[in-house]
């Protein structure tokens, strides 16, 4: 007589197991597709704005660039931190830049306002810069204890004239950056050092770097301030080590104002 494997009951059980396995695999695949779709949908316009604000925050330096190309770049410190939040949810960041050797004397201070791009625009995040009414009150804002900083309501009251706006979009696949963008064609009005307008390019990289290229142009389109070699590359602050104490950057000759002005803005734009 035949074995149990040849009986009708055994064949049915085997087929049933195959069917159940196929159904289970189909459910797993279908569930995975739904999960991916849900995760994609969960990244909202405000999530992108918060990601940009987080990436901009912190202490970053152009030390490596200055070491490699001291003729075109200075060792600058960029420091940014949250200052307050507007009623509509827009984040307000305080931003300052200073020479590495004199962090207590920033030469550029701004408020950044970060929010999603308007729905009708093809971008993800709108980053606008504003002047500060009393910059002296905000020097080293991020380095101070919170109870010694201007409070949120004061920050809102001290947001002065609009300076620039950069529209950022997610970077395409294969790129090193997360977000990149620039000011609109034609830039924004600017009268510093003979300029008629200024432009800015910004990219946020996966390794925490921030690349910024600010330039000023006269009425004829000639660049009158800003670096010409390329953007400043600010990298997250490294841990201090023994070698940094003896870096040539720490013992360089005094900088001339002429050189500073030709390669970087040291005054309000």
């Amino acid at each position: 007589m035949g074995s149990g494997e040849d009986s009708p009951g055994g064949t049915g059980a085997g087929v049933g197991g195959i069917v159940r396995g196929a159904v289970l695999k189909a459910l797993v695949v279908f569930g995975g597709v739904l999960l991916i779709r849900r995760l994609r949908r969960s990244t909202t316009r405000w999530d992108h704005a918060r990601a940009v604000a987080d990436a901009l925050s912190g202490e970053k330096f152009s030390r490596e660039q200055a070491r490699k190309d001291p003729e075109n770049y200075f060792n600058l410190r960029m420091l940014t931190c949250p200052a307050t939040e507007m009623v509509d949810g827009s984040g307000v960041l305080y931003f300052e830049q200073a020479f590495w050797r004199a962090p207590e004397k920033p030469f550029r201070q701004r408020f950044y306002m970060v929010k999603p791009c308007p729905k009708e625009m093809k971008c993800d995040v709108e980053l606008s810069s504003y002047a500060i009414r009393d910059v002296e009150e905000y020097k080293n804002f991020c380095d101070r204890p919170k109870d010694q900083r201007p409070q949120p309501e004061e920050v809102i009251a001290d947001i002065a004239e609009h300076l620039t706006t950069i529209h950022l979009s997610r970077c395409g696949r294969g790129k090193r950056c997360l977000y990149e963008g620039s000011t609109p064609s034609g830039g924004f009005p600017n009268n510093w050092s003979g300029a008629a307008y200024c432009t800015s390019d910004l990219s946020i990289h996966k390794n925490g770097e921030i690349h910024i290229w600010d330039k000023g142009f006269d009425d004829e389109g000639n660049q009158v301030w800003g670096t010409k070699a390329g953007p400043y590359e600010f990298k997250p602050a490294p841990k201090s080590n023994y070698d940094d104490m003896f870096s040539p950057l720490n013992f360089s000759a005094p900088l001339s104002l002429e050189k500073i002005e030709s390669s970087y803005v040291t005054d309000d734009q």
Side-chain angles (χ1 to χ4, degrees), residues 184-196:
S185 177
F188 289 89
N190 181 281
N191 58 11
W192 191 83
S193 192

Side-chain angles (χ1 to χ4, degrees), residues 107-119:
F107 60 78
R108 174 185 278 185
Q109 295 170 262
R110 299 281 185 270
F111 284 132
Y112 280 152
M113 193 174 296
V114 189
K115 62 182 179 181
C117 281
K119 291 183 178 179

Side-chain angles (χ1 to χ4, degrees), residues 4-263:
E5 292 179 354
D6 296 329
S7 67
T11 303
V15 172
I18 293 173
V19 171
R20 282 194 297 273
V23 170
L24 182 59
K25 288 180 181 179
L27 288 173
V28 170
V29 172
F30 182 69
V33 172
L34 287 179
L35 178 60
I36 291 172
R37 288 180 178 176
R38 184 174 299 173
L39 288 173
R40 285 175 177 172
R41 284 200 301 268
S42 68
T43 305
T44 67
R45 296 163 60 245
W46 284 103
D47 288 332
H48 290 298
R50 282 188 285 269
V52 167
D54 289 344
L56 289 171
S57 297
E59 186 181 38
K60 304 175 192 290
F61 291 90
S62 60
R63 176 180 301 166
E64 188 173 318
Q65 239 183 346
R67 182 179 291 120
K68 292 179 178 178
D69 188 0
E71 291 299 314
N72 289 300
Y73 300 97
F74 296 109
N75 183 10
L76 303 179
R77 179 203 196 209
M78 168 183 166
L79 185 61
T80 311
C81 63
T84 190
E85 187 174 288
M86 304 297 285
V87 175
D88 66 354
S90 300
V92 178
L93 307 177
Y94 170 76
F95 159 89
E96 69 180 23
Q97 284 181 343
F99 291 102
W100 178 83
R101 294 178 298 177
E104 74 283 357
K105 298 178 181 180
F107 60 78
R108 174 185 278 185
Q109 295 170 262
R110 299 281 185 270
F111 284 132
Y112 280 152
M113 193 174 296
V114 189
K115 62 182 179 181
C117 281
K119 291 183 178 179
E120 65 274 12
M121 294 188 67
K122 293 182 179 180
C123 58
D124 295 302
V125 180
E126 183 176 282
L127 177 66
S128 297
S129 64
Y130 292 83
I132 300 174
R133 294 193 191 284
D134 187 355
V135 292
E136 290 296 321
E137 289 292 324
Y138 287 85
K139 280 187 176 180
N140 308 125
F141 176 92
C142 301
D143 291 322
R144 295 187 242 163
K146 290 188 176 181
D147 61 353
Q148 295 179 23
R149 303 175 180 176
Q151 296 306 296
E153 60 275 12
E154 297 176 82
V155 170
I156 293 174
D158 286 333
I159 298 174
E161 68 269 23
H162 170 260
L163 300 173
T164 63
T165 293
I166 297 174
H167 295 114
L168 297 166
S169 298
R170 285 168 288 180
C171 296
R173 289 185 179 180
K175 286 192 171 184
R176 292 175 53 225
C177 59
L178 293 172
Y179 296 90
E180 61 182 350
S182 59
T183 47
S185 177
F188 289 89
N190 181 281
N191 58 11
W192 191 83
S193 192
Y197 65 95
C198 65
T199 64
S200 294
D201 298 285
L202 173 71
S203 60
I204 296 172
H205 290 246
K206 297 175 183 178
N207 60 359
E209 290 184 23
I210 303 295
H211 293 190
I212 304 175
W213 199 356
D214 296 326
K215 293 169 284 186
F217 300 87
D218 62 21
D219 287 320
E220 297 179 354
N222 300 308
Q223 186 175 341
V224 294
W225 58 254
T227 61
K228 295 182 178 180
Y232 261 86
E233 299 175 0
F234 290 94
K235 298 187 177 184
K239 293 180 180 179
S240 60
N241 55 55
Y242 183 81
D243 292 337
D244 286 341
M245 295 173 59
F246 301 98
S247 167
L249 294 175
N250 299 347
F251 298 94
S252 56
L255 300 171
S256 69
L257 182 59
E258 181 180 356
K259 183 179 179 183
I260 294 173
E261 289 179 348
S262 65
S263 65

